[in-house]
Amino acid sequence: MELDTVTDAVEARREELTALARDIWEHPQTAFEETYAADRLIGVLAERGFDVEVGVGDVETAFVARYGEDGPVVGTMGEFDALPGLSQRASATKEPIEAGGNGHGCGHNLFGVGSLGAALAVADAIDAGLEGSVVYVGTPAEEAGAGKVYMARAGAFDDVDAVVSWHPGWYNAPTKGSCLAVDGFEVTVNGESSHAAASPEAGRSALDGLQLLNTAVEYMREHVPDPVRLHYVITEGGDAANVVPPEATGEYLVRAPSRDLVDDVSAWFRRAAEGAALMGDVDVEVTKISGIYGVRPNETLGDAIRETMGDLGPFSVDDPLADDLRESLGDVSGQLEELDPDHRDRARDSAYFTEPIDALDAGEVGSYSTDSGDVSQIVPLGRMTTATWPVGTPPHSWQAVAASGSTGTEGMLYASKAIGGTLLRLLTDEELRAEVVAEFEERGGADGYESAMPDDADPYELLGVERPDFEPTLEADPAAAGAADDD
Ligand SMILES: [Zn+2]
């Protein structure tokens, strides 16, 4: 079966997928509250005959949709959460739709639908005689809350042979690098309030406890291995200077390339918190609010993605808005630094840079963290970026929101084809599958995976979000899905 099978299937749904991405863009919801997007995506999958399990890992908007029987199982992931405060029109000037409202600044409206296009295309190929199954894993709360961690530990990826995923960006390339594992902690300190001038001896300052812990963290920085990163903020430090603060809270992150190193430094951090409690004569409570793994790369899958992109070739975006958005970014030479000089010259002169290129991060550990890390510990994970945004567009910018609701859909359809094509290759090429699995095993396999989150962690409670009442309509039609009420 050829790549054409996939590209034709995606092109046949061009309008449907484009409209769906725009619709989700128009209904931006943040972590764990993304009922609109989840409903739309589930609706399309259910109507196409996918078996859908909703509420995976006890997360209401998390779902796994499966098509096909027997044979190898390949999968893709779809994110769909938005960001707070990034509301923006699909225009080339900064202009919110709703001041302070949510917006798709990371292009996750494209992310969810691009992966959907791939899953639907592979389902078509299965109908046409291809042996195997395809799984679409709907993964909420990437921007905050680490939804995939709860899905991973609930077994959502256990019977999948390989997953191919992507992220919006401004070039077309596989992602071959790793990134940092991270632990997040909330620290609550309880002391004793009193008048700061009249009776300081009667008080015990919760803020002092926090400051002592922060001082410890500063000293720790000198003696942790080089790539470890420690950051903190005080989220509550008291209300008035003449009152000894009875309660104070802070948030802390520990990052390192390996899970083991994060565990070690986190254990030291907990001991430091005990020390701060002793020194300040206060109670210190440490709650773990996040714990994720770094990404384990799979270069074999990266190469397969690169080959598929090479077969697809570049694409074009013909929309004056693309040029205007590109111009609004001003000088992007900093972002272009990562390209080789030839590509840099061509990218500099165009609104969109769409020729497929080799991975820019092979062998590197990126200074970021993603909940895809946990997925990559359980199943071979291939990742890629496609050019949904004008050259040099930073994620979480208003330009990224504008492009995600307009000129970005061409790059999204490209992602559908690149993912779909790579999944098709995995299903038809037993040797490739074996190589992908061999690399995964060589890098440690799945057996050592143990979620870094405590068993009783409640994602809603940890993020301070109310659990939504979510009952999917299972309808692909927007009116039936409730869109009409929202406008
Ligand atoms: Zn993102």
Side-chain angles (χ1 to χ4, degrees), residues 79 81 83 105-108 111 142-143 166-168 389 395-396:
E79 296 175 6
D81 58 331
L83 287 152
C106 214
H108 292 183
F111 193 152
E142 192 279 333
E143 297 291 358
W166 73 295
H167 198 285
W389 302 329
H396 301 198

Side-chain angles (χ1 to χ4, degrees), residues 460-484:
Y460 295 95
E461 210 181 289
L462 291 174
L463 201 62
V465 170
E466 207 172 311
R467 183 180 280 271
D469 196 5
F470 178 52
E471 191 64 53
T473 57
L474 304 177
E475 305 272 353
D477 182 285

Side-chain angles (χ1 to χ4, degrees), residues 85 100 143 179 182 191 267 337 345 419:
E143 297 291 358
C179 62
V182 62
E337 280 301 308
D345 285 344
I419 297 169

Side-chain angles (χ1 to χ4, degrees), residues 52 130 158 204 237 316 446 456:
V52 192
L130 179 66
D158 285 359
R204 292 291 181 268
S316 60
D456 59 353

